[in-house]
Structures are given as C-alpha cells and as structure tokens.
Amino acid sequence: MAKHDSLDTEDKVRLLRSLAHHVHRKRPVDEVLMELVEQELRGGRRRIYRAAAEKLAEDDPLGALQAIGAVGDEAACVLGPVLDSDDHRLISNAINRLADWQEANGS
C-alpha cells in the first residue's frame, strides 16, 4: 500500500474514540464524522480523508469509516445495524469496543 492509503493504528483509535465520545453525547454519527474528516482535510494531513468526505456526502458514514480503514468489512457488517438502531449508547459502546480492539491488535 502507498504511504497514505490507510491510517496507522494510533490514528484509527484516536478517531474512533473521538467519534464514540461525541456520539455518547447524543450527536449524530454523520455530523461528528464529517467534522472530524473536515478537520483532517483542513490540516492537509491525509489525502485518504477525501474518500471519506465523498462517502459522507452520499450519506454513508459506515462507508466513510471503511474508506479511511477505521473498520474492516466484518466490523462494518456488525456496525451497520448498530448505527441503524439510533441508540447513542449502543453506538458509542460499539465504537469504543472497536477502538479497544484496534488498540489491542494493532491492525
């Protein structure tokens, strides 16, 4: 993979934890994720965030998380129905667990 085709583990964990924190405070996933992606785009850190912004423009927050490599296909299969539940506590807990897994497994 090219240097900027995916996030490193630390960036994935940071993004997931920030997302979970804001969702726990009853903010919509797509709104928070767009803010986080826009921050990264303004900072010019990673071109990969452009793909996430495109997915968010299509109203696809799960696709945006996949585009930046924060979640894989298997996690997306499970996270999809969780996001559809609109239960901020469930969503926040699920995203935090994904961050825990990323941190523990470093992938």
Side-chain angles (χ1 to χ4, degrees):
M1 257 186 215
K3 183 177 179 180
H4 295 287
D5 285 347
S6 65
L7 300 177
D8 63 22
T9 301
E10 186 177 307
D11 286 337
K12 289 177 191 179
V13 170
R14 180 183 49 83
L15 178 108
L16 290 170
R17 292 216 192 280
S18 182
L19 181 59
H21 171 78
H22 290 288
V23 169
H24 185 75
R25 295 189 174 345
K26 298 184 179 182
R27 293 195 54 213
V29 172
D30 53 346
E31 177 184 302
V32 173
L33 194 51
M34 181 55 90
E35 286 178 13
L36 294 172
V37 167
E38 286 176 350
Q39 272 181 338
E40 295 297 335
L41 288 172
R42 276 193 303 271
R45 281 191 60 221
R46 300 249 191 321
R47 65 181 172 191
I48 193 167
Y49 285 99
R50 279 185 242 148
E54 290 170 8
K55 290 292 185 180
L56 287 168
E58 298 169 5
D59 196 29
D60 184 9
L62 187 56
L65 288 171
Q66 286 183 285
I68 57 178
V71 298
D73 293 338
E74 295 87 356
C77 287
V78 175
L79 191 56
V82 172
L83 292 177
D84 291 343
S85 75
D86 287 329
D87 180 338
H88 71 282
R89 286 184 209 119
L90 177 63
I91 295 168
S92 175
N93 287 336
I95 294 171
N96 263 323
R97 292 276 179 104
L98 287 171
D100 291 345
W101 187 90
Q102 289 284 350
E103 196 169 48
N105 292 292
S107 57

